Amino acid sequence: MRVRVEQTALPGIGVRHDLVTESGRRLGVVSHRNGRRDLVLYDRDDPDACQADIPLTDDEAEALADILGASLMLGQLSGLREQAAGLLTEQIAIPAGSKYVNKRLGDTRARTRTGASIVAVLRDGEVIVSPDPTFRFAAGDVVVVVGTRQGLDGVTAILADSDPDG
């Protein structure tokens, strides 16, 4: 199902983006010219009446976007897992003692060694989708890996390998 987003110019205020959910609820975001954003929930019985108006700071708007983006991406990966027998998705944290902290993704040779793919990295509430081989890991990063059970276990072992000099 395609979701239609309507954009409405609000002269002197900014712009409003609205959508109607599958359950019939209408919600929107008003982006003011001064940078302020409001999350708006419309009345179920009167689509022109506002039931709730929630002002969002820049940090709150960014956090909400990150939450929605990460959960959507992980949900899509879970759906993929259901479609492909034997294909699993897992989130693996990179421990502070890993020898791959501050090293490039390509240095792990994870896909070559295990057959599993690192498809995203979650860092400080941000989702980095399809990191390239030059992407550098940080302690506490959480990698999203797709592969077989054996491949996922292999990536876990690779990333847990500690640096004797660290």
Side-chain angles (χ1 to χ4, degrees):
M1 175 183 170
R2 291 286 293 162
V3 175
R4 191 176 88 210
V5 176
E6 297 176 3
Q7 179 176 325
T8 306
L10 303 172
I13 297 172
V15 65
R16 184 181 76 209
H17 292 90
D18 295 329
L19 66 89
V20 177
T21 67
E22 190 173 300
S23 66
R25 294 304 308 260
R26 186 165 166 239
L27 59 102
V29 175
V30 177
S31 300
H32 297 260
R33 289 184 2 195
N34 65 6
R36 191 178 104 201
R37 285 177 213 79
D38 294 315
L39 185 60
V40 182
L41 179 63
Y42 296 97
D43 188 278
R44 190 181 292 272
D45 299 320
D46 182 358
D48 293 325
C50 179
Q51 184 177 354
D53 180 345
I54 305 165
L56 298 174
T57 66
D58 287 346
D59 289 341
E60 292 164 342
E62 184 176 337
L64 181 59
D66 286 344
I67 290 167
L68 293 172
S71 66
L72 178 62
M73 183 194 70
L74 292 175
Q76 289 170 340
L77 289 173
S78 293
L80 174 64
R81 182 179 68 214
E82 293 169 7
Q83 294 173 12
L87 189 62
L88 304 170
T89 303
E90 194 163 277
Q91 295 182 38
I92 303 167
I94 298 182
S98 171
K99 72 180 185 181
Y100 293 105
V101 170
N102 296 319
K103 297 283 198 256
R104 298 175 311 152
L105 168 62
D107 295 337
T108 68
R109 296 183 41 246
R111 186 172 43 214
T112 301
R113 294 165 65 185
T114 68
S117 295
I118 296 173
V119 298
V121 178
L122 311 176
R123 176 184 289 168
D124 298 327
E126 183 181 343
V127 179
I128 299 134
V129 179
S130 300
D132 67 40
T134 63
F135 175 84
R136 290 194 178 269
F137 291 116
D141 280 353
V142 176
V143 297
V144 179
V145 184
V146 176
T148 63
R149 169 52 42 209
Q150 183 178 358
L152 298 179
D153 291 346
V155 172
T156 300
I158 289 169
L159 296 176
D161 191 6
S162 61
D163 183 355
D165 300 325

